[in-house]
Amino acid sequence: DVEKLRGAQLMEETTGQQWMVRPRRVSDVMEVYTPTVYNKGAEIVRMLHDLVGPDAFRTSLRTFLQKFDGQAATVLDFIESVEITSGKDLSQFERWFAQPGTPTVSIEQLPTASGSTLKLRIRQELPSPPTASSSPQPLLIPLRLAVLDRQGNAVRAEEEVELVDMEREVEIDGVPGQAIVSVRGYSAPVHVEWRRAQQERKEAHQGWEDWELGVLMVAETEAFAKWEAAQELFRRAVIARATEEGGTSEAETHLVAGIRKCLADPRIESGLCAKIITPPELGSLGETVWSPTGAAKYGPVDALALSEAVLGLKQHVGALLSAELTSAYMHQHKSDPDDGAQKWTASGVGSRLLKNACLGYLACSQDKDLRSLGIAQAVGDGCMTDVLAATKAVVAGGWEHDKNLVLDHFYQEHAVKDEVLRNKFMTLQDPNNAFFNPYL
C-alpha cells in the first residue's frame, strides 16, 4: 500500500527517525513496532516478486512454507529459498534490511547526437545515518521504464532495468523527440526524481513538466504511474495555493483537465478512478514541504495553510466539474449493490470509493442542492463506510451549518452506542488531519 507507506514510514524518516528494517539490536521494544519494520519490510519482500518473476516467487513461497512449517523462521530464510529456486544471487538485495533510510533514484535525460535515441543516467543516492560508521553500499533497485510520445502513446516495449551500482547509463533507441519517460509500478521503496539536461530546462531538478504529468495522468495504462502523475499535480497545485498569492497554477489547469477525462473514461476501473481524483493526505503534502529539502525550497508553510489550500482546490475543481462529478456520483450511487455479499466485491468497493471521492468535491460546493447529496448520505441508513465518508466530506466542506448537522446526527445515532464509533467521531472533528502530524 503505497499511500500507507508514504503516509507513515517515509514521513517518519523525514523527522530524523531512520530505522533498520531488520534491527541488529533492539534497546526498546517499540523499535520493532514501526512502519519501517512492518510497511517497508513488506514492500521489500514484495520486490522479490519483480526481481525473480511470479512463477519463481510462488515456487519459492511453497518451498519455504513446506520447509519451515511449524518452525520459527526469518526473512533471510525466505530469501535463501528464493535464491535456491530462482538461481539468482540476492546477497546485494539483503542490504535493504541492514541499511536505514530511503534512497533517492534520479533519472536524468542526457543529450545525444541521434534524435531518435534516449540516453538516461540513473543514479542512486543513499542517505547517511548520523551514527553510521561506514558509507552505505549500493542497493539492488529494480525499475520499470516506459516511453510515451506527446499524445501518450507507448513508442516501444517497457524496459526493465536493475540498478546495482551507484550509477549506470541506459540507451533506448527508436524514441521520437520530446518523449515522456514514465516510471511504472512501485517497484522499490525509493524516491524518484526526473531530471532533464540542464540546457533544456531552467531548473535542472524541477521534475516532469506539468503538461507531461497531465499526459501521464490521462494516457498511461499502468495504474501506479497514472495515479502518481495525478498525485504530483495535486501536490504542485496545493503547494502553489499555500505558498503563493493563490489563483490557478498551470499544474491545477492540467489537473482539472485530467480529472474531467478520467471521470469520462469507461476503461478506468471505479476504484482506481477514485484514487486518481482524490487529493493527497496532509501527511504526504507534509513530506514534500516540511522535510529538510522542502523547507529549504518553500520556506515555512503552515499546516492550516495547506489544509485551506486543499479546500480551495476542491471548491475550484467542484465548481468547474460539478456536472461530471454529480453524474459520476449518481451513477455509482445507483449501481452500488444492495445485496450484502455483493457490497464487498472488488466492483462494489470500487463503486463506493468513486462515489465518495466525488462527494468530497460536491460537499464543498456553493450550491446547496449539491451539498445536500452529502447530507442525505450522512444521515441516511447506508453502510457505515458511506456514512463515515459522507460525514467526513461534509465536515471538510467548511459549511458550519452542514457540519454541525451531520456531526450531531452521527453522535446521537452512532457514537453514543459504540465505543469504536465514538473514536471515529473524535477523528471527524479534524477530517484533514491538520493537527495530527509529526511535524508540529
Side-chain angles (χ1 to χ4, degrees), residues 19 22 29 33 35 77 81 92 101 105 113 116 142 166 170 193 198 250 289 302 341 377 390 392 412 426:
W19 310 98
R22 192 169 184 267
V29 69
Y33 297 101
D77 294 323
S81 176
Q92 185 181 12
V105 173
S116 62
M166 296 302 292
V170 176
E193 292 183 356
Q198 293 194 28
E250 183 180 351
V289 299
D302 186 76
Q377 183 173 312
K392 181 177 179 178
Q412 296 296 334
M426 298 303 295

Side-chain angles (χ1 to χ4, degrees), residues 356-368:
N356 294 326
C358 293
L359 198 61
Y361 290 96
L362 299 175
C364 303
S365 175
Q366 300 278 349
D367 189 327
K368 290 184 179 180

Side-chain angles (χ1 to χ4, degrees), residues 234 238 241 252 255 259 277-280 307-321 325 356-365 392-397 431-432:
F234 268 119
V238 170
R241 282 178 170 267
E252 191 166 323
L255 176 65
I259 292 176
I277 71 170
T278 301
S307 184
E308 290 169 0
V310 172
L311 176 59
L313 174 62
K314 290 170 70 175
Q315 289 174 334
H316 180 65
V317 173
L320 292 177
L321 304 181
L325 290 163
N356 294 326
C358 293
L359 198 61
Y361 290 96
L362 299 175
C364 303
S365 175
K392 181 177 179 178
V394 173
V395 173
N432 295 321

Side-chain angles (χ1 to χ4, degrees), residues 55-350:
D55 293 337
F57 185 83
R58 281 193 294 268
T59 303
S60 302
L61 184 58
R62 292 193 192 98
T63 302
F64 172 75
L65 293 175
Q66 291 170 357
K67 181 177 181 180
F68 293 99
D69 184 25
Q71 304 178 48
T74 69
V75 69
L76 297 183
D77 294 323
F78 179 64
I79 292 175
E80 182 182 13
S81 176
V82 176
E83 279 188 314
I84 294 172
T85 303
S86 66
K88 187 177 182 66
D89 181 5
L90 295 173
S91 56
Q92 185 181 12
F93 177 81
E94 294 179 10
R95 294 174 185 169
W96 277 100
F97 297 95
Q99 295 185 182
T102 299
T104 295
V105 173
S106 64
I107 306 174
E108 182 180 3
Q109 181 178 345
L110 301 175
T112 60
S114 171
S116 62
T117 299
L118 179 68
K119 188 174 183 179
L120 303 175
R121 178 187 292 131
I122 306 175
R123 179 187 294 117
Q124 56 175 297
E125 301 167 9
L126 305 175
S128 297
T131 58
S133 58
S134 60
S135 300
Q137 298 299 305
L139 299 170
L140 172 57
I141 302 176
L143 296 170
R144 295 165 51 198
L145 304 178
V147 183
L148 286 66
D149 61 21
R150 291 177 64 93
Q151 288 71 45
N153 302 307
V155 298
R156 57 170 297 139
E158 181 179 288
E159 296 274 342
E160 294 186 0
V161 177
E162 287 188 9
L163 183 60
V164 297
D165 298 314
M166 296 302 292
E167 180 181 307
R168 68 170 290 188
E169 292 186 358
V170 176
E171 290 192 2
I172 305 175
D173 296 322
V175 176
Q178 286 195 296
I180 306 171
V181 177
S182 177
V183 182
R184 289 182 167 178
Y186 195 67
S187 56
V190 299
H191 301 292
V192 176
E193 292 183 356
W194 167 250
R195 303 169 183 172
R196 214 184 296 274
Q198 293 194 28
Q199 61 265 35
E200 298 182 22
R201 182 187 295 276
K202 293 181 181 178
E203 297 181 39
H205 306 314
Q206 179 183 345
W208 283 268
E209 299 280 4
D210 294 329
W211 71 267
E212 292 176 317
L213 292 170
V215 171
L216 293 175
M217 176 182 177
V218 172
E220 248 292 9
T221 56
E222 198 275 323
F224 173 80
K226 197 177 191 74
W227 171 80
E228 178 74 331
Q231 291 290 288
E232 180 60 24
L233 284 174
F234 268 119
R235 280 189 286 267
R236 293 183 185 186
V238 170
I239 292 170
R241 282 178 170 267
T243 58
E244 300 172 8
E245 295 182 359
T248 304
S249 62
E250 183 180 351
E252 191 166 323
T253 300
H254 289 288
L255 176 65
V256 172
I259 292 176
R260 176 182 280 115
K261 291 178 180 178
C262 288
L263 287 171
D265 190 344
R267 298 169 298 176
I268 303 177
E269 187 268 333
S270 296
L272 174 59
C273 188
K275 294 290 186 182
I276 290 170
I277 71 170
T278 301
E281 294 286 345
L282 192 66
S284 177
L285 295 168
E287 181 198 342
T288 304
V289 299
W290 294 325
S291 65
T293 302
K297 181 176 181 180
Y298 300 108
V301 181
D302 186 76
L304 291 179
L306 280 179
S307 184
E308 290 169 0
V310 172
L311 176 59
L313 174 62
K314 290 170 70 175
Q315 289 174 334
H316 180 65
V317 173
L320 292 177
L321 304 181
S322 59
E324 292 89 341
L325 290 163
T326 304
S327 176
Y329 174 82
M330 297 306 298
H331 175 74
Q332 299 298 328
H333 186 68
K334 291 177 181 177
S335 62
D336 193 7
D338 294 326
D339 180 75
Q342 291 299 315
K343 274 185 175 293
W344 307 115
T345 62
S347 60
V349 172

